[in-house]
Amino acid sequence: MELRNTFRPMLHATLAAAMLLTAATATAQPRRPHPIRHERHEARRAPGYDAWRTGPRHEVSIKAGAFPFTMNCGHLGLSTGAERMPLYPGIFATPDAIAAFKVRYTPRKTSGGITAAYYYRVAYALSVGVAFTYTGLYGDLLDAGSGRKVSSNDMTTISVAPALRLQWLNRPVVRCYSALAIGPAVDITSIDDSRETYLGLSGTIVGVSVGRRLYGFAEVGAGMQGIFSAGIGYRF
């Protein structure tokens, strides 16, 4: 009993010293600073902005356009018929001179502008490609008395033009865009077998396509491909 009473104060003193030493050690240790989180605020992008990288990037299409423009005849289908016209090789005549020669032109029909195009999508909103355009104007030169055909009065135009297309509305089914194609063109006139080469231009002010891979589209523009046009295309 006396031995227990002797060691009890020593035990209490040892426990108190251990607690003081633990508290001092905890106070001496430096606090670790909280890590600073650097949040990156990226600009908002349209849904599916990066989907074009894995989606179809190639595109082929064909369309027909009304009132295409050619250097010789202006907008086909909008002509007044009073322009100077070739009568025989190397000879040009007004409608009054044609009547004096006792010949007449039949009304000419136009095929409109037929355009086949290929595009490759190089960015979210930009595609590059090439457009092949054909336009035709067909008629005859007749003898005014007998109605016998004297000569053909056809003119065809062929154009191959590099093209750029800007897609300013991109949805899975509906897309809106504008385009520009500029390149060499040649007018071929059958009555005197003449050829005239120049720089052809076609612009699409507004185009709307509907569909995913197989789609239909309509456009409003100006130039060799026509003022109003419509067609079909395929993406792959």
Side-chain angles (χ1 to χ4, degrees):
M1 188 69 178
E2 292 179 0
L3 183 62
R4 184 186 301 175
N5 294 333
T6 302
F7 284 101
R8 183 176 295 176
M10 296 177 62
L11 180 61
H12 290 171
T14 302
L15 291 175
M19 293 176 63
L20 289 173
L21 181 61
T22 303
T25 304
T27 305
Q29 289 181 351
R31 294 184 179 179
R32 294 182 180 180
H34 293 286
I36 300 175
R37 296 180 180 178
H38 298 281
E39 297 182 356
R40 298 177 62 184
H41 299 280
E42 296 183 355
R44 289 188 176 181
R45 293 175 175 176
Y49 180 85
D50 294 323
W52 67 271
R53 300 180 185 276
T54 57
R57 300 180 68 175
H58 302 270
E59 187 174 329
V60 292
S61 64
I62 186 168
K63 68 176 181 179
F67 313 126
F69 180 85
T70 69
M71 187 66 73
N72 280 335
C73 294
H75 282 96
L76 305 187
L78 297 180
S79 174
T80 63
E83 71 276 3
R84 293 166 61 87
M85 297 174 287
L87 182 59
Y88 290 108
I91 301 175
F92 288 82
T94 63
D96 292 338
I98 291 172
F101 277 101
K102 297 182 180 181
V103 293
R104 62 184 177 87
Y105 281 104
T106 60
R108 290 203 286 188
K109 299 179 180 179
T110 177
S111 66
I114 309 298
T115 302
Y118 165 79
Y119 282 96
Y120 178 72
R121 195 171 183 180
V122 296
Y124 174 71
L126 181 65
S127 297
V128 299
V130 60
F132 303 87
T133 301
Y134 169 87
T135 65
L137 200 60
Y138 312 105
D140 294 322
L141 186 65
L142 306 179
D143 183 279
S146 64
R148 180 177 58 87
K149 178 180 175 180
V150 175
S151 177
S152 295
N153 183 32
D154 303 334
M155 192 193 76
T156 57
T157 302
I158 300 173
S159 171
V160 180
L164 292 174
R165 185 177 64 193
L166 180 65
Q167 196 163 275
W168 39 269
L169 177 64
N170 186 11
R171 294 293 182 268
V173 177
V174 179
R175 302 182 183 186
C176 296
Y177 56 90
S178 300
L180 179 66
I182 182 169
V186 57
D187 289 339
I188 305 172
T189 306
S190 65
I191 199 170
D192 57 358
D193 197 27
S194 65
R195 287 169 172 78
E196 182 174 353
T197 304
Y198 54 94
L199 198 61
L201 176 67
S202 296
T204 299
I205 301 173
V206 178
V208 179
S209 68
V210 179
R212 294 182 182 270
R213 288 187 176 268
L214 181 65
Y215 62 92
F217 64 96
E219 299 175 350
V220 177
M224 298 194 61
Q225 297 178 14
I227 298 177
F228 308 104
S229 58
I232 58 173
Y234 184 75
R235 303 182 181 101
F236 60 97

